[in-house]
Amino acid sequence: MAKMNLLQAINSALDVAMAKNDKVTVFGEDVGHFGGVFRATSGLQEKYGRSRCFNTPLVEQGIIGFANGLASQGGLPVAEIQFGDYIFPAFDQIVNETAKFRYRSGNEFDVGGLTIRTPYGGGIHGGHYHSQSPEAYFAHTPGLKIVIPRNPYEAKGLLLSAIFDPNPVLFMEPKRMYRAAVGEVPEEEYTIPLGKAEVVKEGSDITLVGWGAQIEVIEKAAELAEKDGVSCEIIDLRSILPWDADTVAESVMKTGRLVISQEAPHTMAFGSEVAATIQEKAFLYLESPIARVSGLDTPYPLAHEKEYMADHLKTYEAIKRSLNY
Amino acid sequence: MAKMNLLQAINSALDVAMAKNDKVTVFGEDVGHFGGVFRATSGLQEKYGRSRCFNTPLVEQGIIGFANGLASQGGLPVAEIQFGDYIFPAFDQIVNETAKFRYRSGNEFDVGGLTIRTPYGGGIHGGHYHSQSPEAYFAHTPGLKIVIPRNPYEAKGLLLSAIFDPNPVLFMEPKRMYRAAVGEVPEEEYTIPLGKAEVVKEGSDITLVGWGAQIEVIEKAAELAEKDGVSCEIIDLRSILPWDADTVAESVMKTGRLVISQEAPHTMAFGSEVAATIQEKAFLYLESPIARVSGLDTPYPLAHEKEYMADHLKTYEAIKRSLNY
Amino acid sequence: ATEAPKAASQGKALASPAVRRRAREAGIDIAAVPGSGSKGRVLKEDIQSYVDGGK
Amino acid sequence: MATQTTKQPDVVTSVEVIDGHALRIPMFQLLDKDGKPHEGVTLPEIDKDLALKMFSTMQFIRVLDERMIAAQRQGRISFYLSSLGEEAASIGSAAALKFDDMIMGQYREQGSLAFRGFTIKQFMNQLFSNAEDLGKGRQMPVHYGCADLNFMTISSPLGTQIPQATGYAYGQKHEDSGLCTLVYFGEGAASEGDFHAGLNMASVLKVPAIFFCRNNGYAISTPISEQLAGDGIAPRGVGYGMKTIRVDGNDILAVYAATQEARRLAVEENEPVLIEAMSYRMAGHSTSDDPTGYRTRDEEQAWRDKCPLKRFRNYLLSKGWINEEDADAQQQEVKEAVLAALKEAEKVPVPHIDEIINDVYDTPTEQLKEQLEQLKEHVRK
Amino acid sequence: MATQTTKQPDVVTSVEVIDGHALRIPMFQLLDKDGKPHEGVTLPEIDKDLALKMFSTMQFIRVLDERMIAAQRQGRISFYLSSLGEEAASIGSAAALKFDDMIMGQYREQGSLAFRGFTIKQFMNQLFSNAEDLGKGRQMPVHYGCADLNFMTISSPLGTQIPQATGYAYGQKHEDSGLCTLVYFGEGAASEGDFHAGLNMASVLKVPAIFFCRNNGYAISTPISEQLAGDGIAPRGVGYGMKTIRVDGNDILAVYAATQEARRLAVEENEPVLIEAMSYRMAGHSTSDDPTGYRTRDEEQAWRDKCPLKRFRNYLLSKGWINEEDADAQQQEVKEAVLAALKEAEKVPVPHIDEIINDVYDTPTEQLKEQLEQLKEHVRK
Ligand SMILES: Cc1ncc(C[n+]2csc(CCOP(=O)(O)OP(=O)(O)O)c2C)c(N)n1
Ligand SMILES: Cc1ncc(C[n+]2csc(CCOP(=O)(O)OP(=O)(O)O)c2C)c(N)n1
Ligand SMILES: [Mg+2]
Ligand SMILES: [Mg+2]
Ligand SMILES: [Mg+2]
């Protein structure tokens, strides 16, 4: 075990994966010698050579197109998109190609070896092009897996699972926690299953659901609520696609109440799917409407970032409203 | 009034708009002399000249990038994307540019003049690249409007509203109804408000919600249900963004039950937002869980298209389940 | 927006799904239960007293 | 440490506007339109077996295309897309590759696939989306693919296969396989952003890829004059610092020789190559299209005279490797075989309903299994 | 009826592989690195007023950039992005335009904006995201925009403005305005698919657009050698059949003359033009970046010797249009003005909270008003 921040955990996962299997390659804008703008790929080119860790030209659709091709050839590409906000030029390659590759070919070909890494999320004064949480845009796409870790330990274990999972995975990293989150992380290989949510904290009065950086926000809100004597159960989805509805439903059947807290703008954020599904699965157990705490339905602002964000206070208010309904 | 099919109604709307305002231009792949692969733009080049109706090179990101620029200059571009399945290369231009243009510039510039037309939907033996219903992919994008007509009359009125609306509009046309749907359509200009749902049929036992081609499916399902003595209220959302939650909530507060029927794959289709919002707004009135009838969570298939589709029988079963809950 | 703006329609009840479950479990028609909450909302206590009263 | 390495350009002291047509790229041709080799040319070394295989594949594809267009008109299949007039481009290039090289198609390269050994039966199964289709009946007709034949499954969205080819070729180089990837695309698809991405990345990363553009003059109804303003596609190769060849796409020997040289450059020198094959789409874009609305019969006739099949046939006749009767007889045989296979494939049932959820992921998720169960229950009603 | 109009290429009868470097495009330069005009050149007609305006804008931008880098280090602003070393490219090109021409920037063209008349105060308001920022504090520092000055608001996603410029120019042509659009982008952004889209469409649609590439050798840490393999960006213009000029981006007179000629071609002949200005990014990519990790001091020094500001200053000195003392005094004045404006802007409050929902649509939707109400209620707690 070692103390690592989230970036170091990512770097360690990449290192372990590259050492283990020489089909693993790492590429993207500035990821080579420079180690990426956040330094997640630091030292990998030096260690594994330019053919396994390299810069690409500045073209996201090309990065993912290239990665699809390399994965279809049997490679295990780990492609970096510098910011989640810049993933959209690659949307066609991801949604129409990556996700449908195996299905359309009748399993003659697949790009299961592909992992796409990208930092996402707000709280870094980045305005609308360095703050978005675009997971929901991808969650309507059968064939993809989407994974978001909440801390360094989870990051390493989930990334290693993603790299070696026989399906393409979009791995989104909460960038505001890159250096802020520090924890104990094993130096060797370990994995955390994809598609399984985790009950981070057990409780009996209300279920709180989130993923990624938002778990920290939810934990703070839960602390406030506990002071009022409310026992909160916290669930980290970890995987957005496929997602673990059963774990959430089970919890809600116990607590009768659900608050989802998410960074993205409200309408059609992933919380909508969670709410829609859980009201079906746990209908007769609901004591109050499923509440969603989200960003506003605007582009991500700059000057009013603090007001915009779905913070712990807004989440706490939602918990109270749910209980007093 | 004249009898028009849906294509003719679209063509008539474009004709009226171009005659009215010479800032209206129409372009896209094959839309010029040829009139588009579905012939929606037939005759417009002849009538208004090559500078107002023209072919573009084969590049969707360019078509929308160009359209954004032209709209920001004060034009009223109506850009065609040949199939909704091919809109994804333009995703960045739509989601990061079109939608955020006014906001990011503090209203110094806007692309409100832009309308994007694209055929969508299944039922034409098109497999996964000529059948998708991608509206949900765009519905997470504040700044955009999304409109889907269900018949020729609606198509013309809504398209005219879209073209002259001071906001960018994504206008999605149910292609399997292009020639199949015929109805009375005024030859002159008229508009239908954006953002307002329509109660297509009043009823008291259950609310059925849909949009576009799916309204026909829902109507068939309702007919079956009426034979069982069930009174169905049918609502056509017409606008997916911003959408008219109040009309739906009001109906559900009356009927106590809601079934959403939609073409797209289940997870994160727009029905998720409808369900999530309505369980909140009409919580205490719900007699049964809000049900969603959708496509399967797979790429759109070919040989099993019929089985895949959210047809009237599946919708009818969902109505029965809701009533017998 | 989540506030109940009006009473339930004829033959229907204003109640949370969880209260509906309790009515089901008690084998009673919730529409017949007088609600003591705002706009006639049926609360779980109402189910209890209806059941007790019925006994 | 990286350093900036743009070579210092020469300096001029008056504004020099480089004309958009500064670079005119000539077209390589070996056979004249009657199939006679130009004076003094070196023909590629092709033995009789190979030549006959190329020829019979051309004949087969011509027959297949004509037959399936008819089958579509009869309502037996929903859609078809022919390569009439472009047989030399696909077959000539495929013939110059090693079998283990990867081919990625756009959708008009049935010739390459047939050359690799895709059987009539396999074609038919795909066209009828039946239970024996390798693609499990999931894609529209002509979206073939076959791992055993190193022919990537075709995908409708245009241009997407181009950067994929760059990635595939990178993997081949990484494995030191001595193999390359050849990717086909139309001059229309070359307008897509993915074209730019794929070629530029290939140049920078020095991958063994051959970018084979079939310039057939049209993208559905859009003539090349409304697609681009330069001298076709070839000069773009120079824009990427990529070796480039323009070839007569209706001259199968020239296509063969050009691809052979491109393959050598790709595999031996890791130099990606752009080939632009000049040809013409003789039929409509697909069975959904009628070209009489947007082009003249004269134009079509002018190209009919340059028929690649006739040209190669004449060459082989003059060489004495075929004779008229045998060639005709072969054609007749193929016709019958195609018809028989068509009738066979028509009878094969659709894939099992379980296939609707297979291959979304490596194994179906619980949700998908549930959705299938619900579907089956529903079907039972 | 459209017809296929690719000109018939010349025919060659042996495989001709066009080398990726077949086209070497020279660089236009008027002043040597010491600011002395080359022998016998024709200098553009620039009167003293204009020359001094260009010079003072250069001085201003140099001061602004240096000051704001410092301000970021002091934690007074969150982010800054300088144009150190590239002042001639933006200012020289902006000076050659008409005021009503549209300019679309990437983010390193503060010089063009200043030349158009954006005030120190306006710069500061944007940099501090305060209530007086034209952009209402919604974007990161340096994302300027101003409708009155015909300078399109900058957007972070790279390359997106390129096809937008094509569309904007189409509108200008459609209105017969006699105006054009000039769009800036880096050699890195030129790898994006949108670059390909924008230039090809401009060529085909014949719009009055000038595509101005600032080739400064780097995209963040990525040197041009890992960005592209050809001879820079200019040869791509030829690939699109577009008129192309390569110019020394550190020679403001050459940039001016080149842009003037490009503007003439664009507006009078509807010929879009690609200009590649060769320069160097003297500072880090932004304040978040430290270039010592990826390039040598020697390389930087070599370029420091080519400083565009020094070069133009020397030229003006030799012409007698400025003298050392006045120039220095002016610089000192600007320094003070910048500092004063900075202190002013720091004091301006953030925009009103209502601005959080304005401009999403032309008027806020009911949902947005409701969300704002909830937010305000929440803030009150
Ligand atoms: C991204 C995308 N946009 C549009 C289409 C619709 N489409 C199918 S084929 C075609 C024309 C392609 O022309 P070209 O690349 O020249 O190939 P050709 O048909 O001439 O062989 C178009 C526009 C598509 N398949 N994909
Ligand atoms: C689509 C997109 N991808 C990535 C980025 C992140 N990014 C910002 S600037 C930059 C480098 C741009 O280099 P270049 O175009 O050469 O301009 P320069 O900074 O040299 O002026 C990158 C990669 C972005 N802003 N947009
Ligand atoms: Mg509009
Ligand atoms: Mg073509
Ligand atoms: Mg640069």
Side-chain angles (χ1 to χ4, degrees):
Chain A
M1 288 285 214
K3 275 234 177 303
M4 295 189 197
N5 64 27
L6 208 148
L7 272 175
Q8 290 163 331
I10 297 287
N11 188 265
S12 170
L14 294 171
D15 190 4
V16 167
M18 291 179 90
K20 179 175 170 169
N21 188 323
D22 70 5
K23 287 191 176 301
V24 177
T25 51
V26 168
F27 50 86
E29 293 159 17
D30 302 296
V31 308
H33 171 73
F34 190 55
V37 292
F38 290 103
R39 325 313 290 268
T41 56
S42 269
L44 299 177
Q45 184 175 85
E46 286 64 29
K47 197 156 169 189
Y48 299 102
R50 294 176 76 94
S51 74
R52 294 188 57 204
C53 175
F54 51 97
N55 289 341
T56 62
L58 209 171
V59 54
E60 291 76 12
Q61 64 193 105
I63 293 171
I64 304 301
F66 176 92
N68 276 332
L70 183 50
S72 75
Q73 191 267 345
L76 295 170
V78 184
E80 176 176 309
I81 297 294
Q82 200 163 76
F83 284 87
D85 312 74
Y86 302 137
I87 201 167
F88 300 125
F91 204 76
D92 186 56
Q93 281 286 352
I94 298 173
V95 162
N96 262 345
E97 296 290 320
T98 305
K100 301 177 174 55
F101 221 95
R102 194 193 295 270
Y103 196 77
R104 76 157 175 253
S105 73
N107 206 22
E108 289 285 294
F109 298 95
D110 72 84
V111 295
L114 172 61
T115 305
I116 303 171
R117 290 181 43 245
T118 195
Y120 83 93
I124 59 152
H125 308 294
H128 31 253
Y129 295 124
H130 296 85
S131 307
Q132 293 174 69
S133 298
E135 66 276 12
Y137 281 116
F138 294 92
H140 188 41
T141 315
L144 270 192
K145 294 192 174 184
I146 305 174
V147 175
I148 310 183
R150 73 173 180 277
N151 66 27
Y153 178 84
E154 293 280 314
K156 179 169 176 181
L158 287 169
L159 181 53
L160 279 164
S161 294
I163 292 172
F164 296 110
D165 188 90
N167 296 286
V169 180
L170 173 59
F171 189 84
M172 297 177 63
E173 303 168 3
K175 64 173 151 328
R176 101 178 130 77
M177 310 188 73
Y178 264 160
R179 293 196 171 80
V182 180
E184 291 292 330
V185 177
E187 277 164 288
E188 63 284 359
E189 183 180 0
Y190 64 96
T191 58
I192 296 175
L194 306 186
K196 288 262 159 273
E198 187 185 11
V199 179
V200 173
K201 183 187 156 321
E202 292 193 18
S204 53
D205 296 333
I206 188 165
T207 304
L208 309 178
V209 165
W211 50 91
Q214 202 64 6
I215 294 298
E216 195 189 38
V217 169
I218 290 173
E219 284 171 333
K220 275 197 208 158
E223 269 171 44
L224 292 176
E226 305 266 339
K227 286 195 188 125
D228 301 340
V230 180
S231 161
C232 301
E233 178 141 314
I234 301 179
I235 298 178
D236 174 8
L237 284 188
R238 302 202 287 201
S239 279
I240 295 295
L241 199 73
W243 71 286
D244 186 356
D246 289 341
T247 296
V248 179
E250 207 166 293
S251 171
V252 175
M253 286 193 273
K254 178 176 75 179
T255 63
R257 301 176 196 273
L258 173 59
V259 170
I260 302 148
S261 184
Q262 55 192 354
E263 282 198 43
H266 191 68
T267 300
M268 282 298 280
F270 192 70
S272 307
E273 182 61 40
V274 176
T277 301
I278 298 304
Q279 66 83 29
E280 230 179 314
K281 287 196 183 260
F283 185 71
L284 289 173
Y285 298 84
L286 288 176
E287 307 274 357
S288 66
I290 299 171
R292 292 169 287 158
V293 183
S294 330
L296 269 64
D297 276 321
T298 74
Y300 201 100
L302 184 73
H304 295 300
E305 175 168 35
K306 230 174 131 270
E307 290 80 359
Y308 176 85
M309 287 184 84
D311 64 5
H312 62 290
L313 295 172
K314 290 185 190 169
T315 306
Y316 170 59
E317 292 298 330
I319 294 171
K320 285 201 290 191
R321 273 197 306 276
S322 179
L323 283 153
N324 299 330
Y325 183 81
Chain B
M1 287 285 213
K3 274 234 178 304
M4 294 188 197
N5 65 27
L6 207 147
L7 272 175
Q8 291 163 331
I10 297 287
N11 189 264
S12 170
L14 295 171
D15 191 2
V16 167
M18 291 179 90
K20 178 174 171 167
N21 188 324
D22 71 4
K23 287 193 176 301
V24 177
T25 51
V26 168
F27 50 85
E29 293 159 16
D30 302 295
V31 308
H33 171 75
F34 190 56
V37 292
F38 291 103
R39 324 313 289 268
T41 57
S42 269
L44 300 175
Q45 185 174 85
E46 286 64 28
K47 198 157 169 188
Y48 299 101
R50 295 175 76 93
S51 74
R52 294 188 56 206
C53 177
F54 51 96
N55 288 341
T56 62
L58 207 171
V59 54
E60 292 76 14
Q61 64 193 105
I63 293 170
I64 304 302
F66 176 92
N68 276 331
L70 184 49
S72 74
Q73 192 268 344
L76 295 170
V78 184
E80 176 176 309
I81 297 294
Q82 199 162 76
F83 284 87
D85 313 74
Y86 302 137
I87 201 168
F88 301 125
F91 204 77
D92 186 55
Q93 281 286 351
I94 298 173
V95 161
N96 263 346
E97 295 291 319
T98 305
K100 300 178 174 57
F101 221 94
R102 194 193 294 271
Y103 195 77
R104 76 157 174 252
S105 72
N107 206 23
E108 289 285 294
F109 299 94
D110 72 82
V111 295
L114 172 61
T115 306
I116 303 171
R117 291 179 44 244
T118 195
Y120 84 92
I124 60 151
H125 308 296
H128 32 252
Y129 296 122
H130 296 85
S131 307
Q132 293 175 70
S133 297
E135 66 276 14
Y137 281 116
F138 294 93
H140 187 41
T141 315
L144 270 191
K145 294 193 174 185
I146 306 174
V147 175
I148 310 183
R150 73 173 179 276
N151 65 28
Y153 178 85
E154 293 279 314
K156 180 170 174 181
L158 288 168
L159 181 53
L160 278 164
S161 295
I163 292 172
F164 295 110
D165 187 90
N167 296 286
V169 180
L170 173 60
F171 189 84
M172 298 177 61
E173 304 167 3
K175 65 172 154 320
R176 99 179 132 76
M177 309 188 74
Y178 265 159
R179 294 195 170 79
V182 180
E184 291 292 331
V185 178
E187 276 163 288
E188 64 284 358
E189 183 180 1
Y190 64 96
T191 57
I192 295 175
L194 306 186
K196 289 263 160 272
E198 187 185 12
V199 178
V200 174
K201 183 187 157 320
E202 292 193 16
S204 53
D205 295 333
I206 188 165
T207 304
L208 310 179
V209 165
W211 51 91
Q214 202 64 6
I215 295 297
E216 195 189 39
V217 169
I218 291 173
E219 285 172 334
K220 275 197 208 157
E223 269 172 44
L224 293 177
E226 305 266 338
K227 285 195 189 125
D228 301 341
V230 179
S231 162
C232 301
E233 178 142 312
I234 301 179
I235 299 178
D236 175 7
L237 285 188
R238 301 202 288 200
S239 279
I240 295 295
L241 200 71
W243 71 286
D244 186 356
D246 289 342
T247 296
V248 179
E250 208 166 293
S251 172
V252 175
M253 288 192 275
K254 179 175 74 178
T255 63
R257 301 176 197 273
L258 173 59
V259 170
I260 302 148
S261 185
Q262 55 192 355
E263 281 198 44
H266 191 69
T267 300
M268 282 297 281
F270 192 70
S272 307
E273 183 61 40
V274 176
T277 301
I278 299 304
Q279 64 83 28
E280 230 179 311
K281 287 195 182 260
F283 186 70
L284 292 173
Y285 300 83
L286 287 176
E287 309 264 349
S288 65
I290 298 171
R292 292 169 286 158
V293 184
S294 331
L296 270 64
D297 276 320
T298 74
Y300 201 100
L302 185 74
H304 295 301
E305 174 167 37
K306 231 173 131 271
E307 290 81 358
Y308 176 85
M309 288 183 82
D311 64 6
H312 62 290
L313 295 172
K314 289 184 190 168
T315 305
Y316 170 59
E317 293 298 330
I319 295 171
K320 286 201 290 191
R321 272 197 306 275
S322 178
L323 284 153
N324 300 330
Y325 184 80
Chain C
T2 55
E3 210 94 313
K6 56 183 180 196
S9 320
Q10 184 83 55
K12 289 173 180 169
L14 201 58
S16 74
V19 170
R20 293 178 199 276
R21 186 187 79 237
R22 291 182 182 102
R24 283 172 185 231
E25 284 166 358
I28 56 178
D29 174 10
I30 194 166
V33 180
S36 66
S38 142
K39 306 267 165 58
R41 172 177 169 184
V42 180
L43 304 173
K44 62 176 182 242
E45 302 81 44
D46 300 329
I47 303 286
Q48 198 53 49
S49 39
Y50 186 81
V51 171
D52 293 347
K55 265 178 194 158
Chain D
M1 186 156 302
T3 45
Q4 194 211 21
T5 57
T6 317
K7 283 146 216 119
Q8 271 311 100
D10 300 333
V11 168
V12 288
T13 57
S14 61
V15 187
E16 184 151 341
V17 181
I18 309 295
D19 187 73
H21 293 263
L23 194 69
R24 296 282 301 177
I25 298 186
M27 178 178 82
F28 166 50
Q29 188 182 70
L30 290 169
L31 301 179
D32 71 14
K33 83 177 177 46
D34 301 317
K36 225 178 90 213
H38 286 295
E39 202 93 6
V41 296
T42 319
L43 294 177
E45 281 175 36
I46 296 182
D47 64 24
K48 186 174 166 187
D49 279 0
L50 177 57
L52 293 187
K53 182 174 175 192
M54 288 161 75
F55 179 67
S56 65
T57 307
M58 285 177 98
Q59 292 226 96
F60 165 59
I61 288 297
R62 180 65 61 97
V63 166
L64 177 72
D65 280 349
E66 288 176 342
R67 189 67 204 85
M68 296 320 294
I69 290 174
Q72 193 278 338
R73 290 215 184 97
Q74 297 165 338
R76 293 164 92 167
I77 55 172
S78 59
F79 174 86
Y80 192 72
L81 204 148
S82 88
S83 68
L84 291 175
E86 297 183 62
E87 298 90 347
S90 55
I91 297 167
S93 49
L97 299 179
K98 285 241 169 99
F99 179 83
D100 288 331
D101 292 335
M102 174 53 64
I103 295 180
M104 296 192 180
Q106 175 158 309
Y107 50 57
R108 217 182 281 286
E109 300 86 8
Q110 39 267 58
S112 307
L113 186 55
F115 186 87
R116 281 271 166 105
F118 208 61
T119 64
I120 307 189
K121 205 173 150 174
Q122 286 176 311
F123 276 106
M124 289 300 162
N125 290 335
Q126 200 288 328
L127 293 169
F128 283 91
S129 319
N130 68 27
E132 287 171 25
D133 167 24
L134 286 179
K136 303 188 184 167
R138 297 209 184 102
Q139 293 210 106
M140 283 178 75
V142 315
H143 290 67
Y144 311 110
C146 180
D148 284 346
L149 298 178
N150 303 303
F151 190 99
M152 180 64 71
T153 300
I154 286 162
S155 173
S156 309
L158 287 167
T160 51
Q161 78 279 17
I162 306 175
Q164 288 171 12
T166 303
Y168 203 100
Y170 190 89
Q172 292 171 316
K173 176 179 160 186
H174 192 63
E175 285 181 357
D176 237 333
S177 65
L179 299 173
C180 71
T181 298
L182 182 144
V183 57
Y184 295 105
F185 52 93
E187 88 295 340
S191 292
E192 291 283 1
D194 275 357
F195 165 89
H196 182 60
L199 270 77
N200 186 43
M201 289 182 76
S203 261
V204 176
L205 295 170
K206 296 215 151 296
V207 303
I210 302 171
F211 297 94
F212 195 102
C213 179
R214 293 183 293 91
N215 183 342
N216 62 9
Y218 287 89
I220 307 187
S221 76
T222 305
I224 193 163
S225 58
E226 298 179 25
Q227 192 67 247
L228 55 86
D231 173 30
I233 303 299
R236 293 188 192 163
V238 178
Y240 301 117
M242 188 183 285
K243 299 215 181 284
T244 300
I245 304 171
R246 174 173 277 157
V247 65
D248 182 344
N250 285 16
D251 175 353
I252 196 167
L253 292 185
V255 170
Y256 180 88
T259 311
Q260 223 179 15
E261 174 60 7
R263 186 180 191 282
R264 193 192 63 73
L265 286 163
V267 170
E268 291 176 19
E269 302 182 18
N270 283 314
E271 284 280 2
V273 181
L274 170 62
I275 297 178
E276 182 182 22
M278 311 306 286
S279 187
Y280 190 80
R281 196 196 72 207
M282 285 307 310
H285 169 69
S286 71
T287 48
S288 319
D289 174 52
D290 170 13
T292 59
Y294 54 83
R295 66 189 193 187
T296 64
R297 275 175 206 285
D298 285 357
E299 184 187 291
E300 289 181 1
Q301 190 50 51
W303 277 94
R304 204 161 284 129
D305 291 343
K306 302 186 195 167
C307 173
L309 183 47
K310 194 182 69 187
R311 204 190 293 193
F312 194 43
R313 181 180 172 125
N314 284 345
Y315 169 76
L316 293 177
L317 285 170
S318 74
K319 232 179 131 76
W321 281 358
I322 59 169
N323 63 48
E324 297 275 7
E325 301 79 64
D326 290 356
D328 290 347
Q330 190 219 356
Q331 202 183 2
Q332 194 49 41
E333 259 168 53
V334 172
K335 271 190 187 160
E336 283 155 26
V338 165
L339 193 61
L342 189 159
K343 288 185 178 155
E344 235 7 80
E346 250 172 350
K347 284 184 274 177
V348 179
V350 296
H352 192 277
I353 184 65
D354 286 7
E355 291 298 353
I356 201 170
I357 64 156
N358 285 335
D359 306 329
V360 179
Y361 296 95
D362 63 323
T363 52
T365 60
E366 289 310 311
Q367 287 103 308
L368 279 170
K369 284 187 208 157
E370 219 174 274
Q371 292 184 1
L372 179 63
E373 267 327 299
Q374 281 166 13
L375 174 62
K376 284 181 170 172
E377 215 167 281
H378 179 74
V379 173
R380 272 194 290 275
K381 279 184 191 158
Chain E
M1 187 155 302
T3 46
Q4 194 212 21
T5 59
T6 316
K7 283 150 215 115
Q8 273 310 100
D10 301 332
V11 169
V12 289
T13 56
S14 61
V15 187
E16 184 152 339
V17 181
I18 309 294
D19 187 72
H21 294 262
L23 195 69
R24 296 281 301 177
I25 297 187
M27 178 178 82
F28 166 49
Q29 188 182 69
L30 290 169
L31 301 179
D32 71 14
K33 83 177 177 47
D34 301 318
K36 224 178 89 215
H38 287 295
E39 202 93 6
V41 295
T42 318
L43 294 177
E45 282 175 36
I46 296 182
D47 64 22
K48 187 174 165 186
D49 279 0
L50 177 56
L52 293 187
K53 182 174 174 192
M54 288 161 75
F55 180 66
S56 65
T57 309
M58 284 178 98
Q59 291 225 98
F60 165 58
I61 288 298
R62 179 66 61 99
V63 166
L64 178 71
D65 281 350
E66 286 175 345
R67 188 67 204 83
M68 297 320 292
I69 291 175
Q72 193 277 339
R73 288 214 186 98
Q74 296 166 338
R76 293 164 91 168
I77 54 171
S78 61
F79 174 84
Y80 192 73
L81 202 147
S82 87
S83 69
L84 292 176
E86 297 183 63
E87 298 90 348
S90 55
I91 296 168
S93 49
L97 298 180
K98 285 240 170 97
F99 180 81
D100 288 332
D101 291 335
M102 174 52 65
I103 295 180
M104 297 192 179
Q106 175 157 309
Y107 51 56
R108 215 183 283 286
E109 301 86 9
Q110 39 267 60
S112 308
L113 186 56
F115 185 87
R116 282 271 165 106
F118 208 61
T119 64
I120 306 188
K121 205 174 149 172
Q122 286 176 311
F123 276 107
M124 288 301 162
N125 291 336
Q126 200 286 330
L127 293 170
F128 283 92
S129 321
N130 68 27
E132 288 170 26
D133 168 24
L134 286 179
K136 303 188 184 167
R138 297 211 183 102
Q139 293 210 106
M140 282 178 78
V142 315
H143 289 68
Y144 312 109
C146 180
D148 284 345
L149 299 179
N150 304 303
F151 190 99
M152 180 64 70
T153 300
I154 285 161
S155 173
S156 310
L158 287 167
T160 52
Q161 78 278 18
I162 306 175
Q164 288 171 12
T166 303
Y168 203 100
Y170 190 89
Q172 291 171 316
K173 176 179 160 185
H174 192 63
E175 285 181 357
D176 237 334
S177 64
L179 299 173
C180 72
T181 298
L182 183 143
V183 56
Y184 294 105
F185 51 92
E187 89 293 341
S191 293
E192 291 283 1
D194 274 357
F195 164 89
H196 183 60
L199 271 77
N200 186 42
M201 289 182 77
S203 260
V204 177
L205 296 169
K206 297 216 150 296
V207 304
I210 302 170
F211 298 94
F212 195 103
C213 178
R214 295 183 292 90
N215 182 342
N216 63 7
Y218 287 88
I220 309 186
S221 77
T222 304
I224 194 164
S225 58
E226 297 179 25
Q227 191 67 247
L228 55 84
D231 172 31
I233 303 298
R236 292 187 192 165
V238 178
Y240 300 117
M242 187 182 286
K243 300 216 180 282
T244 300
I245 304 171
R246 173 174 279 157
V247 65
D248 182 344
N250 285 16
D251 174 354
I252 195 166
L253 293 185
V255 170
Y256 180 88
T259 311
Q260 225 180 12
E261 174 59 8
R263 187 182 191 282
R264 193 192 63 73
L265 286 163
V267 169
E268 293 176 19
E269 302 183 18
N270 283 315
E271 285 279 2
V273 181
L274 170 63
I275 296 178
E276 182 182 21
M278 311 304 286
S279 187
Y280 190 80
R281 197 196 72 209
M282 285 308 310
H285 168 70
S286 72
T287 48
S288 319
D289 174 51
D290 171 12
T292 59
Y294 54 83
R295 65 190 192 187
T296 64
R297 278 176 204 284
D298 285 357
E299 184 187 291
E300 290 181 2
Q301 190 50 50
W303 278 93
R304 205 161 282 129
D305 291 343
K306 302 186 197 169
C307 174
L309 183 46
K310 193 183 65 184
R311 203 188 296 192
F312 194 42
R313 180 179 172 126
N314 284 345
Y315 169 76
L316 293 177
L317 285 170
S318 73
K319 229 179 137 73
W321 282 357
I322 60 171
N323 63 47
E324 297 275 7
E325 301 79 62
D326 291 356
D328 289 348
Q330 189 219 359
Q331 201 183 3
Q332 194 50 40
E333 259 169 53
V334 172
K335 271 189 187 159
E336 283 155 25
V338 164
L339 193 59
L342 188 158
K343 287 183 179 156
E344 236 6 83
E346 250 172 351
K347 284 184 275 177
V348 180
V350 296
H352 192 278
I353 184 66
D354 286 7
E355 291 298 352
I356 201 170
I357 64 156
N358 284 335
D359 307 328
V360 179
Y361 296 96
D362 64 323
T363 52
T365 59
E366 290 311 311
Q367 287 103 308
L368 278 170
K369 285 187 207 156
E370 216 175 277
Q371 291 184 1
L372 178 63
E373 268 328 299
Q374 283 166 12
L375 174 61
K376 284 180 169 171
E377 215 168 280
H378 178 74
V379 172
R380 273 194 289 275
K381 278 183 192 158

